[in-house]
Amino acid sequence: MRACRPLLGTYVEIRIDDTDPETAIVAVDAGFAAISEVQRLMSVFDENSDISRINRFAQRYPVPVSPWTQEILMLARELHERSEGLFDCGIAPELAAWGLLPAQEAPASTSSIAHVQLDNDGCVTCSAPTRLDLGGIAKGFAVDRATDALRAAGARGGIINAGGDLRVFGTADEAIYLRDPADPEQVRFAGQLTDGAFATSATYYSRREHHGEEVSALVDPRTRRAVVSRRSYSVIAPRCVIADALTKVLALSGDTNLACFSRYDAHPLIFEPSRVLP
């Protein structure tokens, strides 16, 4: 069974293998429900989401959030520390200034996930003005939560594809293809994946001009400037949330030998465009 729905700012496809039709229908609905819940909790385009409320209020008073939001913020803090600051969800002010996110109500020039504090009672506070965007990690988190929901509903194998963030589960091999950075409408075979996750970050769809300067959705938190590389950056990992986040670390560092990759049993890949780009 195969189904596709618009979620997470892209199209999400779920395919169920080796499962009876009635169970597959229930499983697919459960998978999409999990993804919809992540979107509801973590989208900055929803003013009532946990993340939007953190951005507006957490510097002034504790903001209660869901267990899933707590989980992803804890992981984001951990990844920030283990990547020595390369992974940082606090780059929303730059994305908002470039028109890639909703406008910010107040400046937050030093915004960083490092300012986020998680209390034992399920509340979030920020020690300095902070504007978070989980676009660099939440899609992978949603894919993992959907995989859990599919398995709990009885699905024995399949694949979830959320705009290139993939999770394959079960025993079957899945062919993996990457968009050519020189021509994103063309794909290149990248190998086979079994029971794991694969994610890619690139700038070919988000690059744009802003006040005479080229910008993209990838931001270096150290310089607050956009990454405009013509390469694409992919990571294979056991979990999609890890693969998704570490593609940003790879794009910023260009170093496939960083310790944080081996720490998370992740395998980084850098793909060069098939021809010279301007």
Short mmCIF file of all heavy atoms in Angstrom, two decimals, residues 93-127:
data_model
loop_
_atom_site.label_atom_id
_atom_site.label_comp_id
_atom_site.label_asym_id
_atom_site.label_seq_id
_atom_site.Cartn_x
_atom_site.Cartn_y
_atom_site.Cartn_z
N PRO A 93 16.20 34.05 13.42
CA PRO A 93 16.23 35.48 13.07
C PRO A 93 16.77 35.74 11.67
O PRO A 93 16.26 36.60 10.94
CB PRO A 93 17.13 36.09 14.15
CG PRO A 93 16.95 35.19 15.32
CD PRO A 93 16.84 33.81 14.73
N GLU A 94 17.81 35.02 11.28
CA GLU A 94 18.36 35.21 9.94
C GLU A 94 17.37 34.75 8.87
O GLU A 94 17.15 35.45 7.87
CB GLU A 94 19.68 34.43 9.80
CG GLU A 94 20.86 35.07 10.51
CD GLU A 94 20.74 35.04 12.02
OE1 GLU A 94 20.21 34.05 12.57
OE2 GLU A 94 21.19 36.00 12.67
N LEU A 95 16.77 33.59 9.08
CA LEU A 95 15.81 33.08 8.10
C LEU A 95 14.61 34.00 7.97
O LEU A 95 14.08 34.19 6.86
CB LEU A 95 15.38 31.67 8.49
CG LEU A 95 16.48 30.61 8.51
CD1 LEU A 95 15.93 29.28 9.01
CD2 LEU A 95 17.09 30.44 7.13
N ALA A 96 14.17 34.57 9.08
CA ALA A 96 13.07 35.52 9.03
C ALA A 96 13.47 36.80 8.28
O ALA A 96 12.69 37.33 7.48
CB ALA A 96 12.60 35.85 10.44
N ALA A 97 14.67 37.28 8.52
CA ALA A 97 15.14 38.50 7.85
C ALA A 97 15.23 38.31 6.35
O ALA A 97 15.06 39.26 5.58
CB ALA A 97 16.50 38.91 8.41
N TRP A 98 15.50 37.07 5.91
CA TRP A 98 15.62 36.78 4.48
C TRP A 98 14.29 36.38 3.85
O TRP A 98 14.25 36.02 2.68
CB TRP A 98 16.64 35.66 4.26
CG TRP A 98 18.00 36.00 4.79
CD1 TRP A 98 18.53 37.25 4.96
CD2 TRP A 98 19.00 35.07 5.23
NE1 TRP A 98 19.80 37.16 5.49
CE2 TRP A 98 20.12 35.84 5.66
CE3 TRP A 98 19.08 33.68 5.30
CZ2 TRP A 98 21.29 35.26 6.16
CZ3 TRP A 98 20.23 33.10 5.80
CH2 TRP A 98 21.33 33.88 6.20
N GLY A 99 13.20 36.42 4.62
CA GLY A 99 11.89 36.09 4.10
C GLY A 99 11.60 34.61 3.99
O GLY A 99 10.62 34.21 3.35
N LEU A 100 12.42 33.78 4.65
CA LEU A 100 12.20 32.34 4.61
C LEU A 100 11.36 31.82 5.76
O LEU A 100 10.91 30.67 5.74
CB LEU A 100 13.56 31.62 4.60
CG LEU A 100 14.43 31.89 3.37
CD1 LEU A 100 15.84 31.35 3.58
CD2 LEU A 100 13.81 31.27 2.12
N LEU A 101 11.15 32.66 6.79
CA LEU A 101 10.29 32.34 7.92
C LEU A 101 9.44 33.56 8.24
O LEU A 101 9.75 34.68 7.78
CB LEU A 101 11.13 31.98 9.16
CG LEU A 101 11.87 30.65 9.17
CD1 LEU A 101 12.58 30.46 10.51
CD2 LEU A 101 10.95 29.47 8.90
N PRO A 102 8.38 33.41 9.03
CA PRO A 102 7.57 34.57 9.42
C PRO A 102 8.42 35.63 10.12
O PRO A 102 9.40 35.31 10.80
CB PRO A 102 6.52 33.96 10.37
CG PRO A 102 6.44 32.53 9.97
CD PRO A 102 7.81 32.14 9.53
N ALA A 103 8.04 36.88 9.96
CA ALA A 103 8.78 37.99 10.57
C ALA A 103 8.82 37.86 12.08
O ALA A 103 7.87 37.36 12.71
CB ALA A 103 8.13 39.31 10.18
N GLN A 104 9.94 38.28 12.68
CA GLN A 104 10.12 38.23 14.13
C GLN A 104 9.57 39.49 14.78
O GLN A 104 9.65 40.58 14.21
CB GLN A 104 11.61 38.09 14.47
CG GLN A 104 12.27 36.86 13.86
CD GLN A 104 11.86 35.58 14.56
OE1 GLN A 104 11.56 35.57 15.74
NE2 GLN A 104 11.83 34.48 13.82
N GLU A 105 9.03 39.32 15.99
CA GLU A 105 8.47 40.46 16.70
C GLU A 105 9.54 41.31 17.36
O GLU A 105 9.34 42.50 17.57
CB GLU A 105 7.48 39.97 17.76
CG GLU A 105 6.26 39.25 17.18
CD GLU A 105 5.32 38.74 18.26
OE1 GLU A 105 5.63 38.95 19.46
OE2 GLU A 105 4.29 38.15 17.92
N ALA A 106 10.66 40.72 17.73
CA ALA A 106 11.71 41.45 18.43
C ALA A 106 13.07 40.90 18.02
O ALA A 106 13.17 39.73 17.63
CB ALA A 106 11.53 41.33 19.95
N PRO A 107 14.12 41.70 18.10
CA PRO A 107 15.45 41.21 17.70
C PRO A 107 15.98 40.14 18.66
O PRO A 107 15.64 40.11 19.84
CB PRO A 107 16.32 42.47 17.76
CG PRO A 107 15.61 43.38 18.71
CD PRO A 107 14.15 43.11 18.53
N ALA A 108 16.81 39.25 18.11
CA ALA A 108 17.46 38.21 18.92
C ALA A 108 18.78 37.87 18.25
O ALA A 108 18.99 36.78 17.72
CB ALA A 108 16.57 36.99 19.03
N SER A 109 19.70 38.82 18.29
CA SER A 109 20.93 38.71 17.50
C SER A 109 21.85 37.59 17.98
O SER A 109 22.69 37.11 17.22
CB SER A 109 21.69 40.03 17.53
OG SER A 109 22.01 40.39 18.87
N THR A 110 21.71 37.17 19.24
CA THR A 110 22.55 36.08 19.76
C THR A 110 21.75 34.80 19.97
O THR A 110 22.15 33.93 20.75
CB THR A 110 23.21 36.50 21.08
OG1 THR A 110 22.19 36.73 22.06
CG2 THR A 110 24.06 37.74 20.91
N SER A 111 20.64 34.67 19.28
CA SER A 111 19.78 33.51 19.43
C SER A 111 20.55 32.20 19.27
O SER A 111 21.35 32.04 18.34
CB SER A 111 18.66 33.58 18.38
OG SER A 111 17.85 32.43 18.41
N SER A 112 20.30 31.25 20.19
CA SER A 112 20.99 29.96 20.14
C SER A 112 20.22 28.92 20.95
O SER A 112 19.60 29.25 21.97
CB SER A 112 22.41 30.09 20.70
OG SER A 112 23.03 28.81 20.79
N ILE A 113 20.28 27.67 20.51
CA ILE A 113 19.69 26.59 21.28
C ILE A 113 20.36 26.47 22.64
O ILE A 113 19.78 25.95 23.59
CB ILE A 113 19.80 25.26 20.50
CG1 ILE A 113 19.02 24.12 21.18
CG2 ILE A 113 21.25 24.85 20.31
CD1 ILE A 113 17.53 24.29 21.14
N ALA A 114 21.59 27.00 22.77
CA ALA A 114 22.30 26.96 24.04
C ALA A 114 21.58 27.75 25.13
O ALA A 114 21.81 27.52 26.32
CB ALA A 114 23.73 27.48 23.87
N HIS A 115 20.71 28.68 24.76
CA HIS A 115 19.98 29.48 25.73
C HIS A 115 18.75 28.76 26.28
O HIS A 115 18.13 29.23 27.23
CB HIS A 115 19.50 30.79 25.11
CG HIS A 115 20.61 31.66 24.62
ND1 HIS A 115 20.46 32.55 23.56
CD2 HIS A 115 21.90 31.78 25.01
CE1 HIS A 115 21.61 33.17 23.34
NE2 HIS A 115 22.50 32.73 24.22
N VAL A 116 18.39 27.63 25.68
CA VAL A 116 17.17 26.92 26.06
C VAL A 116 17.43 26.04 27.27
O VAL A 116 18.39 25.27 27.31
CB VAL A 116 16.66 26.08 24.88
CG1 VAL A 116 15.49 25.20 25.30
CG2 VAL A 116 16.25 26.99 23.72
N GLN A 117 16.55 26.17 28.26
CA GLN A 117 16.64 25.36 29.47
C GLN A 117 15.35 24.58 29.64
O GLN A 117 14.25 25.14 29.54
CB GLN A 117 16.88 26.27 30.68
CG GLN A 117 18.16 27.08 30.57
CD GLN A 117 18.28 28.14 31.64
OE1 GLN A 117 17.32 28.41 32.36
NE2 GLN A 117 19.44 28.75 31.75
N LEU A 118 15.48 23.28 29.89
CA LEU A 118 14.33 22.39 30.07
C LEU A 118 14.20 22.06 31.54
O LEU A 118 15.11 21.51 32.15
CB LEU A 118 14.54 21.13 29.25
CG LEU A 118 14.52 21.36 27.74
CD1 LEU A 118 15.52 20.50 27.03
CD2 LEU A 118 13.13 21.11 27.20
N ASP A 119 13.04 22.41 32.10
CA ASP A 119 12.79 22.19 33.51
C ASP A 119 12.20 20.79 33.73
O ASP A 119 11.65 20.18 32.82
CB ASP A 119 11.81 23.24 34.05
CG ASP A 119 12.34 24.65 33.85
OD1 ASP A 119 13.57 24.81 33.82
OD2 ASP A 119 11.52 25.58 33.69
N ASN A 120 12.30 20.30 34.96
CA ASN A 120 11.78 18.97 35.28
C ASN A 120 10.27 18.89 35.19
O ASN A 120 9.71 17.80 35.09
CB ASN A 120 12.22 18.57 36.69
CG ASN A 120 13.72 18.33 36.78
OD1 ASN A 120 14.35 17.96 35.79
ND2 ASN A 120 14.29 18.56 37.96
N ASP A 121 9.59 20.02 35.23
CA ASP A 121 8.12 20.01 35.18
C ASP A 121 7.59 20.14 33.75
O ASP A 121 6.40 20.41 33.54
CB ASP A 121 7.55 21.13 36.05
CG ASP A 121 8.04 22.51 35.64
OD1 ASP A 121 8.88 22.59 34.71
OD2 ASP A 121 7.61 23.50 36.25
N GLY A 122 8.45 19.96 32.75
CA GLY A 122 7.98 19.99 31.36
C GLY A 122 7.85 21.38 30.79
O GLY A 122 7.13 21.56 29.80
N CYS A 123 8.55 22.34 31.35
CA CYS A 123 8.50 23.70 30.85
C CYS A 123 9.85 24.11 30.26
O CYS A 123 10.89 23.56 30.61
CB CYS A 123 8.13 24.68 31.97
SG CYS A 123 6.42 24.53 32.53
N VAL A 124 9.80 25.09 29.36
CA VAL A 124 10.99 25.60 28.70
C VAL A 124 11.16 27.07 29.05
O VAL A 124 10.20 27.85 29.02
CB VAL A 124 10.89 25.44 27.17
CG1 VAL A 124 12.06 26.11 26.46
CG2 VAL A 124 10.81 23.97 26.79
N THR A 125 12.39 27.45 29.38
CA THR A 125 12.73 28.86 29.56
C THR A 125 13.96 29.16 28.71
O THR A 125 14.71 28.26 28.34
CB THR A 125 13.02 29.19 31.03
OG1 THR A 125 14.08 28.34 31.50
CG2 THR A 125 11.79 29.02 31.90
N CYS A 126 14.16 30.44 28.41
CA CYS A 126 15.33 30.88 27.65
C CYS A 126 16.06 31.95 28.44
O CYS A 126 15.44 32.89 28.94
CB CYS A 126 14.91 31.43 26.29
SG CYS A 126 14.21 30.19 25.17
N SER A 127 17.37 31.80 28.54
CA SER A 127 18.18 32.72 29.34
C SER A 127 18.54 33.99 28.59
O SER A 127 19.11 34.91 29.18
CB SER A 127 19.46 32.01 29.79
OG SER A 127 20.21 31.57 28.67
#
